Amino acid sequence: MAPMNRTVRDGVAVGLIAYVAVAVFYAGFDVLAARDTLYTVDLLGKAFFRGLRDAAVLQLPSEPDLTAIFLYNGLHLFLSLGIGLTVVWLVERADRGPAQAYVSLFVIVAGFFVTILAVGVLTGPIRPLLPTWSIVAANAYAVVLAGAYLLWRRRGVWRKLMPFLGAAGR
């Protein structure tokens, strides 16, 4: 298979795994909080697409906004696929040598923190219902699952991203 096709396929897979991981995390989060499984997605959809800025409104019973849920899921899927493609592209670049590997690893790790920061800032007004720890945990869960897939698909990815491990193992 052509390298570009493999990169795109793996990038899409990584993005889909991350997307599903975050969705499952928040469905479980909502169930444990005795809420509807789509509560957080509804909340995020209303915040992003309906201009919801006062989380106190959502502490009262309300009907789920199916349009907001659908739009938020589309946005989340689009961003997850973009991140997955970017991560796999960075892994491909890491194969060019130690300097590229260090840069790729730095960008991947920095991207994790930037994602958490961006989501945290964008969801600030609804923080009482979407705690920061849940944003970190959901993204960490996605990284572990997507990373495990990438490690399985590309057996040498550790050595690409962490050249010092390859040197230590010799």
Side-chain angles (χ1 to χ4, degrees):
M1 179 173 292
M4 181 56 88
N5 288 341
R6 180 179 184 209
T7 300
V8 171
R9 185 185 67 234
D10 285 348
V12 168
V14 165
L16 287 173
I17 290 167
Y19 166 79
V20 170
V22 170
V24 167
F25 177 89
Y26 277 111
F29 174 78
D30 288 336
V31 167
L32 290 174
R35 305 186 288 213
D36 182 63
T37 56
L38 294 176
Y39 179 83
T40 298
V41 175
D42 183 43
L43 173 69
L44 290 166
K46 288 174 180 174
F48 280 99
F49 297 105
R50 300 286 190 230
L52 175 70
R53 296 293 175 254
D54 183 10
V57 171
L58 291 174
Q59 293 177 354
L60 303 172
S62 67
E63 289 296 316
D65 183 338
L66 296 178
T67 302
I69 290 170
F70 178 78
L71 289 172
Y72 179 76
N73 270 301
L75 174 66
H76 183 220
L77 178 59
F78 176 77
L79 292 173
S80 293
L81 290 172
I83 291 169
L85 289 165
T86 301
V87 166
V88 173
W89 178 77
L90 287 165
V91 169
E92 290 289 331
R93 288 187 53 89
D95 202 18
R96 295 182 183 169
Q100 291 293 331
Y102 286 121
V103 170
S104 293
L105 180 60
F106 175 79
V107 172
I108 290 169
V109 171
F112 173 78
F113 290 106
V114 167
T115 299
I116 290 169
L117 181 65
V119 172
V121 168
L122 292 171
T123 61
I126 57 175
R127 184 68 52 239
L129 298 170
L130 188 68
T132 301
W133 70 262
S134 74
I135 297 168
V136 173
N139 281 279
Y141 181 56
V143 165
V144 167
L145 292 181
Y149 167 81
L150 201 51
L151 287 171
W152 173 73
R153 289 285 298 154
R154 306 205 177 194
R155 306 243 190 268
V157 75
W158 258 147
R159 290 200 171 122
K160 289 178 185 176
L161 292 178
M162 298 186 176
F164 60 99
L165 285 180
R170 291 182 191 154

